[in-house]
Amino acid sequence: MQRADATPDLDAWRGTARVLLAANVAPADVSWAAPGSTGVLFADVALVADPAAPRAHVPARFVELAADGVLHREPGAHALLYRLLWRLAHGEHELLADAVDPDVRALALRVGAVRRDVHKMHAFVRFHAVDDDQYVAWYAPDHHILARGVEHFVARFPAMRWAILTPDRSVAWDGAALVFSPGVPRHAAPSPDELEDLWRTYYASTYNPARTNPKLMRQHMPARFWPQLPESSAIPELLARAAPRVEAMLDPAASVPAARSLPVLAAAARGCTACDLCGPATQTVFGEGPEGAALVLVGEQPGDQEDLAGRPFVGPAGQVLDAALRAVGLPRERIYLTNAVKHFRFEPRGKKRIHQRPTASQIRACKPWVAAELETIRPRVIVCLGATAALSLIGSRFRISAERGRWVTTHWADALMVTHHPAAVLRVDEVDRPRYEAELRADLALAAAKLDGL
Ligand code: URA
């Protein structure tokens, strides 16, 4: 049995896993030991490379998942990752696409928990002023996410000097670089009383009115976070001013990069944690198609197959759409296809993942990405496929039953129309299906004619 170091860091795990794999050590023969535990680690004994060892084919997707999965606090992450790596190296190249495989599922759950934890850290870290120009926060994340979550604060407070202390590790930003140091137990953290008024002033400018919604409070702010919120006394006054700011405050536009090109946007959207869908979903499914597309089609959200493939409209609804596009002579490769929401929302039921409509706040959280795509492409024509895309781009007053197939002018294009979602063609009963399909095709034909006419 080999003893390997289970430091919660991808590079450390990768270095160890590489050596183990090259020496052909099977997962069952490795015992991953928590950092600091006693005993001889294999790094202290020579492991000999085995010429019969397989060459690892490591998909980028695995590295991406492993980077988050390794941060999960429960023991077993390192063993799980090594088991997956071993299986990938032993010919199971499609392993990651098998969402019901127990190892793949276990990794997805860990990744989801870690990403939700990063999201919570961004929302709930509270800085206290402890010196003239020095702010300190004490925070206890569920997982080893400090290094993963800290860049958010660098982007948000680049000119301040601050430190985030956690029981595992601490990090300080001096305006130029991050320095990591050992953790700080709760009793050693600076007292929140020190300059709390200053914090209250700061909070007044960043106050999130959504917190006054009891349902959102329960959903987003578990009671154990409340002691870290020293601002309660400012709430009544802030509430009085909250209503007009709700819409703007919920908009996470800050995470959209200023430099606009589709690859830059797609790369940035991969790390988006603006809503809770980033946790359970496999990956962000960004739009796809040419930057100079004259026509953009906006769907609802990726489905099960799109979530696994990382591409929009590749599942059953995509087949209906492809057939409709072919029927009206619109080549898919000349169109930009995207969704109002970039993560799959589902409810697990046994081995299945059942599609759930995104909520209004999830649609709102994702809107900056669709808006950035449209601003980058500047299409001549936009077609919203279904009510979710219409809600995102036009607003809640739009009624698809009354206004389907009509042109409206928008900020992003001269002509925008809403039509049926291709999944609706699959969902309606057999009596209505031919009509839905004919209407979808007729509306896409109108879009093709519009392109010719504009
Ligand atoms: N449904 C959508 O709205 N988008 C997809 O990408 C797939 C199904």
Side-chain angles (χ1 to χ4, degrees):
M1 179 69 66
Q2 299 296 335
R3 278 172 48 82
D5 183 4
T7 298
D9 169 80
L10 183 67
D11 288 338
W13 173 82
R14 202 156 36 176
T16 308
R18 209 177 270 143
V19 177
L20 289 167
L21 200 64
N24 223 357
V25 180
D29 295 330
V30 185
S31 151
W32 295 87
S37 41
T38 53
V40 179
L41 294 176
F42 82 85
D44 304 326
V45 296
L47 269 186
V48 181
D50 179 345
R55 282 189 66 78
H57 161 75
V58 186
R61 172 102 196 103
F62 176 69
V63 178
E64 216 173 89
L65 292 170
D68 285 337
V70 76
L71 305 179
H72 201 282
R73 190 178 294 277
E74 268 174 34
H78 293 68
L80 171 65
L81 291 177
Y82 188 58
R83 213 158 46 238
L84 283 161
L85 179 70
W86 178 267
R87 293 177 61 189
L88 286 165
H90 283 79
E92 293 186 59
H93 299 312
E94 300 305 318
L95 176 60
L96 297 181
D98 184 358
V100 294
D101 177 276
D103 285 341
V104 175
R105 181 87 196 119
L107 179 58
L109 290 175
R110 282 172 185 263
V111 168
V114 163
R115 290 182 182 170
R116 279 192 298 280
D117 204 28
V118 171
H119 190 51
K120 282 202 192 113
M121 177 179 164
H122 292 170
F124 297 124
V125 158
R126 295 288 176 259
F127 288 101
H128 301 276
V130 290
D131 206 343
D132 267 1
D133 176 31
Q134 176 77 47
Y135 299 83
V136 176
W138 188 90
Y139 184 78
D142 289 338
H143 303 289
H144 300 286
I145 55 160
L146 183 64
R148 165 85 159 70
V150 74
E151 290 298 338
H152 168 88
F153 299 98
V154 173
R156 194 148 176 217
F157 307 118
M160 283 164 48
R161 288 189 305 137
W162 48 259
I164 301 174
L165 319 179
T166 83
D168 304 308
R169 264 177 119 187
S170 300
V171 63
W173 170 254
D174 61 5
L178 288 169
V179 179
F180 286 86
S181 53
V184 175
R186 182 187 272 275
H187 63 80
S191 154
D193 296 338
E194 283 181 82
L195 278 169
E196 208 161 275
D197 283 348
L198 193 142
W199 168 246
R200 274 199 283 270
T201 310
Y202 160 72
Y203 187 66
S205 67
T206 60
Y207 176 64
N208 181 349
R211 294 210 179 115
T212 58
N213 174 329
K215 200 164 147 223
L216 282 174
M217 285 277 273
R218 272 198 304 280
Q219 205 176 317
H220 293 302
M221 199 195 294
R224 70 188 178 81
F225 286 106
W226 293 18
Q228 292 172 52
L229 298 174
E231 69 277 6
S232 344
S233 63
I235 284 181
E237 183 208 336
L238 292 162
L239 261 182
R241 292 186 266 134
R245 300 173 58 201
V246 171
E247 181 80 7
M249 298 297 289
L250 289 175
D251 189 339
S255 59
V256 176
R260 292 296 161 84
S261 81
L262 293 175
V264 168
L265 291 173
R270 248 181 257 141
C272 184
T273 55
C275 78
D276 53 347
L277 293 182
C278 60
T282 308
Q283 58 192 309
T284 303
V285 178
F286 208 67
E288 154 180 300
E291 195 151 316
L295 172 62
V296 173
L297 303 185
V298 184
E300 180 191 75
Q301 61 168 341
D304 184 72
Q305 295 195 24
E306 288 80 10
D307 170 76
L308 297 173
R311 295 181 52 211
F313 288 104
V314 294
Q319 284 166 23
V320 173
L321 180 64
D322 284 344
L325 291 173
R326 267 197 307 275
V328 302
L330 281 170
R332 176 172 167 138
E333 59 282 1
R334 303 244 300 266
I335 298 169
Y336 187 81
L337 283 170
T338 192
N339 284 298
V341 172
K342 312 292 188 214
H343 283 113
F344 179 34
R345 179 170 189 231
F346 63 92
E347 189 183 287
R349 218 172 282 161
K351 291 187 171 179
K352 291 215 168 111
R353 306 189 299 169
I354 310 298
H355 164 273
Q356 301 265 290
R357 272 188 138 175
T359 63
S361 72
Q362 289 157 351
I363 296 168
R364 205 164 35 228
C366 220
K367 181 161 174 188
W369 295 113
V370 198
E373 286 172 294
L374 293 173
E375 272 155 23
T376 305
I377 297 169
R378 289 264 156 216
R380 285 187 285 149
V381 175
I382 299 171
V383 176
C384 291
L385 301 170
T388 298
L391 180 59
S392 173
L393 298 189
I394 306 175
S396 58
R397 273 161 304 168
F398 190 87
R399 290 283 161 268
I400 193 166
S401 49
E403 292 166 88
R404 181 193 57 78
R406 297 217 193 125
W407 291 113
V408 294
T409 304
T410 74
H411 165 64
W412 298 289
D414 290 340
L416 179 148
M417 168 215 284
V418 183
T419 186
H420 296 301
H421 192 287
V425 175
L426 297 171
R427 225 174 16 239
V428 290
D429 61 36
E430 294 201 349
V431 179
D432 284 329
R433 189 165 304 152
R435 176 171 65 82
Y436 267 65
E437 193 164 32
E439 287 174 348
L440 172 64
R441 291 181 183 199
D443 291 342
L444 290 174
L446 282 178
K450 192 78 168 174
L451 284 175
D452 288 341
L454 280 176

